[in-house]
Amino acid sequence: MRGRPTVYEDANIVKKAQEVFWQKGYSATSLSDLQKATGAGAGSFYNTFKGGKKEVFQKAIEERRLAFDTFKTELSKSESPLELIKDFFRSIASSEENEHLKGCIIANTVVEMTFIDENLEANAVQILKEVEQMFTQAIKNEKLKGNLKTQTDPEILGRYLITFWCGLNTLRRMYPDKNVLKNQIEMQLAVIS
Amino acid sequence: MRGRPTVYEDANIVKKAQEVFWQKGYSATSLSDLQKATGAGAGSFYNTFKGGKKEVFQKAIEERRLAFDTFKTELSKSESPLELIKDFFRSIASSEENEHLKGCIIANTVVEMTFIDENLEANAVQILKEVEQMFTQAIKNEKLKGNLKTQTDPEILGRYLITFWCGLNTLRRMYPDKNVLKNQIEMQLAVIS
DNA sequence: TTATTTTTGTAATGATTGATACATAAATAG
DNA sequence: CTATTTATGTATCAATCATTACAAAAATAA
């Protein structure tokens, strides 16, 4: 193939841009921030992403969706899917401080973009609903196997978990503390049993 | 008192600015947005608030803190404080769509400002902790009166409620729907009994 | 080699940002 | 009345915003 070789690959730019967006959100992240973080100048940046800042943000969100999809696949292979979900929540407690403060980029986007960008907002909401659906399905399956004592509708329990997820991502900014979070997570997961 | 009479009063500017900040957040709200919303030009605006945009935002947050304080006072006078808290959550379900989408300005601020402005962030976290403390205290009192079956530590239950509050304010953006929210709220409140 | 293609780096674009300068309006005090 | 004071409206500021223009760099194809 002809042409000057690519130094700043798409995937690498998205990865580094994601970190900045995750911390600062969409509006507060400037092109200058992204150029510093990725190393790419304006030339490379707009050559790679004709859609500019917004396209990179969408790609960063999309990458996060893929991470959730990976988990979904693991879940479908798991022998104890509900334990896998619970362990996912439990693992949050022992994150590093910076991870606590960052929260969830999808939940952050829902909060930030509601009155700013309809598409970005709707997309983030959609992803949260997919995660919720994943929770709900796992709970349904477990219930069919007779592994659940609770009589609560799996749909309600799925929404309970996505609500917890969003709440937890604010709680960990209030208390970026392993012990506090561990206690809260165990208490909330006890509802699903 | 001498001088041209004030047309744009402090309190009125803050009130109208709060609505914009609540919807769009701090970064995405421009001075131009605020001038349109309040009617005040740059002259009046900076004459009233020497600290500019940031000062108005702080005042808008402070006003919200006062609203929580008012609720706290009602709570201290109430004969069934826990029911008052529960009814507060229940009342959320029947908000108008716009209110659902706005969420909670304090929780929004925690999400938005973490890596943007240390002071605004810490202040918002502090307010959430005060609300949590209000929940915790009410639960403690109710427990002493023997009105609570659950053995769970009131401190954990207080944090459960503030976590729910933050999560609910994302859930209502996913489902700005009275019935969905009503079901979720009842399910989550059932834990406190 | 030369022509072609693609990426990169830099300079510049016009628009918008938050904030200031300042003259004028509109009141009261004396 | 005049002097003083305060609020307002407008023009303007420098800085930053996202984006574009474009020449040079660096590769391959012929």
Side-chain angles (χ1 to χ4, degrees):
Chain A
M1 224 245 297
R2 267 198 278 217
R4 183 172 173 170
T6 303
V7 173
Y8 305 101
E9 286 176 54
D10 310 26
N12 232 287
I13 290 183
V14 170
K15 203 174 147 191
K16 288 181 175 169
Q18 190 196 53
E19 174 67 18
V20 185
F21 282 132
W22 203 324
Q23 291 196 22
K24 305 184 66 173
Y26 181 77
S27 294
T29 297
S30 68
L31 258 294
S32 162
D33 287 332
L34 295 178
Q35 285 165 11
K36 268 180 231 157
T38 62
S44 299
F45 197 86
Y46 282 94
N47 183 54
T48 311
F49 305 100
K50 317 290 182 194
K53 178 181 167 178
K54 186 168 169 177
E55 185 187 338
V56 180
F57 186 80
Q58 284 172 319
K59 296 250 163 80
I61 293 292
E62 192 55 30
E63 185 158 291
R64 194 66 197 144
R65 188 208 292 268
L66 292 179
F68 281 125
D69 277 356
T70 301
F71 182 80
K72 210 172 180 173
T73 305
E74 287 175 32
L75 202 63
S76 69
K77 293 176 186 162
S78 171
E79 290 183 23
S80 48
L82 214 50
E83 274 308 305
L84 194 59
I85 288 175
K86 288 187 175 183
D87 283 343
F88 166 70
F89 277 101
R90 289 181 182 119
S91 75
I92 296 296
S94 40
S95 305
E96 292 182 6
E97 164 135 7
N98 186 257
E99 294 301 307
H100 287 317
L101 301 184
K102 280 165 64 185
C104 164
I105 193 175
I106 309 299
N108 295 355
T109 301
V110 171
V111 171
E112 183 190 357
M113 301 310 282
T114 309
F115 292 89
I116 309 297
D117 187 297
E118 215 176 321
N119 295 331
L120 295 180
E121 156 80 4
N123 190 237
V125 164
Q126 177 57 31
I127 295 173
L128 287 187
K129 285 185 177 176
E130 285 168 18
V131 175
E132 177 202 328
Q133 203 48 49
M134 177 184 78
F135 291 151
T136 305
Q137 196 55 53
I139 291 168
K140 265 187 192 164
N141 294 343
E142 207 75 350
K143 193 168 191 180
L144 282 174
K145 287 195 279 178
N147 293 340
L148 268 183
K149 278 182 288 181
T150 175
Q151 291 302 309
T152 310
D153 188 343
E155 198 171 275
I156 302 283
L157 291 175
R159 278 186 195 143
Y160 166 79
L161 281 182
I162 197 68
T163 305
F164 178 43
W165 173 246
C166 296
L168 180 59
N169 276 294
T170 301
L171 187 73
R172 62 205 288 227
R173 291 186 239 231
M174 296 172 66
Y175 302 101
D177 178 283
K178 187 173 178 172
N179 287 327
V180 170
L181 296 171
K182 194 169 177 294
N183 283 337
Q184 284 313 121
I185 292 166
E186 288 304 338
M187 180 266 176
Q188 294 238 6
L189 292 182
V191 172
I192 318 277
S193 61
Chain B
M1 222 241 300
R2 267 198 278 219
R4 183 173 174 170
T6 302
V7 174
Y8 306 101
E9 286 175 55
D10 310 26
N12 233 286
I13 290 183
V14 170
K15 203 174 148 189
K16 289 180 173 169
Q18 190 197 53
E19 175 67 19
V20 186
F21 281 132
W22 203 325
Q23 292 196 23
K24 305 185 66 172
Y26 182 78
S27 294
T29 298
S30 68
L31 258 294
S32 162
D33 287 332
L34 294 178
Q35 285 165 11
K36 266 178 234 159
T38 62
S44 300
F45 196 87
Y46 283 94
N47 182 54
T48 311
F49 305 100
K50 317 290 182 195
K53 179 180 168 179
K54 186 166 170 178
E55 185 187 337
V56 181
F57 186 79
Q58 284 172 319
K59 296 249 164 80
I61 292 291
E62 191 54 30
E63 185 158 292
R64 194 67 196 141
R65 190 208 291 267
L66 291 180
F68 281 125
D69 277 355
T70 302
F71 183 80
K72 209 174 183 173
T73 305
E74 286 175 32
L75 202 64
S76 69
K77 292 175 186 164
S78 172
E79 290 182 23
S80 49
L82 213 49
E83 274 309 304
L84 195 59
I85 288 176
K86 288 186 175 184
D87 283 342
F88 166 72
F89 277 99
R90 289 181 182 118
S91 74
I92 296 296
S94 41
S95 306
E96 291 183 7
E97 164 136 9
N98 186 257
E99 293 300 307
H100 287 316
L101 301 183
K102 279 165 65 183
C104 163
I105 193 176
I106 309 299
N108 295 355
T109 301
V110 171
V111 171
E112 183 190 358
M113 302 310 284
T114 309
F115 292 90
I116 309 297
D117 187 298
E118 214 176 322
N119 295 331
L120 295 181
E121 155 79 5
N123 189 237
V125 164
Q126 177 57 31
I127 294 173
L128 287 187
K129 286 185 177 177
E130 284 168 17
V131 175
E132 178 202 327
Q133 202 50 47
M134 177 185 78
F135 291 151
T136 305
Q137 195 55 52
I139 292 168
K140 267 187 192 164
N141 294 343
E142 207 75 348
K143 192 168 191 181
L144 281 176
K145 287 195 279 177
N147 293 340
L148 269 181
K149 278 181 289 181
T150 175
Q151 291 302 310
T152 310
D153 187 343
E155 198 171 275
I156 301 285
L157 291 175
R159 277 185 195 144
Y160 166 79
L161 281 183
I162 197 68
T163 305
F164 178 42
W165 172 246
C166 296
L168 179 60
N169 276 295
T170 300
L171 187 74
R172 61 206 290 226
R173 290 187 238 231
M174 296 172 65
Y175 301 101
D177 179 283
K178 187 174 176 171
N179 286 327
V180 170
L181 295 172
K182 193 170 176 295
N183 283 337
Q184 284 314 120
I185 292 166
E186 288 303 337
M187 180 266 175
Q188 293 238 5
L189 292 182
V191 172
I192 317 278
S193 62

